[in-house]
Amino acid sequence: MPKHPLPFVFDLQAVRLWSEASGNEAQIVLGDLEDEQVLIFNRVLNEFAKAYPDSAVLVKAHDFPKKRVTEEHRMSAAALAESSNATFGRKGPYDQCIEWCVAGIACCGPYTIVTDDRRKSLYQKVNGLSVITFEEYLNLH
């Protein structure tokens, strides 16, 4: 198995960091989105838009494929939350349990979650997840 199973799944904080990235860094993400090496799910993007409306306008201006959360992802997220002593708490910072959703998606892959430093340590408490920071993701290029 590769060190970081592909594709990469961006969580809300990775999308935020992408929205703040320089032109070259932003282009790396766009290229990987086009090649489906990075996945951004509608649910993550919608929650991002609620939390960071100004930044969301910039992100949504890009044309890239957005994935839908499936029933398998939802079931996986619920099972993880139950079995992991609710590492993130039952709700995410914006009350949509988005971290559990992203963890559930990653387990179905397996995929690698891209996030910020703080959430990396939280995701790593969930057994079997591959997690890197946005900076680590950029450094792979």
Side-chain angles (χ1 to χ4, degrees):
M1 181 192 311
K3 184 176 180 183
H4 303 293
L6 296 176
F8 296 105
V9 175
F10 275 30
D11 78 349
L12 186 143
Q13 293 305 316
V15 175
R16 178 187 60 80
L17 291 166
W18 172 39
S19 75
E20 298 169 355
S22 70
N24 290 339
E25 293 171 342
Q27 285 304 113
I28 289 170
V29 176
L30 282 172
D32 281 353
L33 281 164
E34 287 176 13
D35 296 339
E36 295 196 3
Q37 294 300 303
V38 166
L39 304 178
I40 297 178
F41 283 77
N42 276 332
R43 185 166 173 191
V44 172
L45 199 56
N46 291 340
E47 190 158 341
F48 175 74
K50 289 178 194 171
Y52 304 97
D54 293 339
S55 297
V57 171
L58 300 172
V59 168
K60 287 183 174 184
H62 297 293
D63 184 30
F64 61 91
K66 294 138 193 105
K67 301 294 181 182
R68 295 183 58 83
V69 174
T70 66
E71 187 62 26
E72 180 184 12
H73 298 145
R74 289 183 194 93
M75 297 297 289
S76 178
L80 284 173
E82 278 302 311
S83 67
S84 297
N85 296 321
T87 303
F88 301 109
R90 295 283 178 200
K91 296 282 191 171
Y94 307 101
D95 295 314
Q96 296 300 312
C97 306
I98 199 68
E99 289 91 354
W100 286 118
C101 179
V102 171
I105 291 165
C107 283
C108 292
Y111 307 133
T112 299
I113 297 170
V114 180
T115 190
D116 63 3
D117 285 324
R118 182 174 154 263
R119 280 169 191 77
K120 180 180 179 181
S121 63
L122 295 175
Y123 282 118
Q124 287 176 324
K125 292 179 183 177
V126 179
N127 223 3
L129 290 181
S130 175
V131 188
I132 62 174
T133 65
F134 185 75
E135 185 175 319
E136 290 169 327
Y137 159 78
L138 291 174
N139 288 337
L140 293 173
H141 291 79

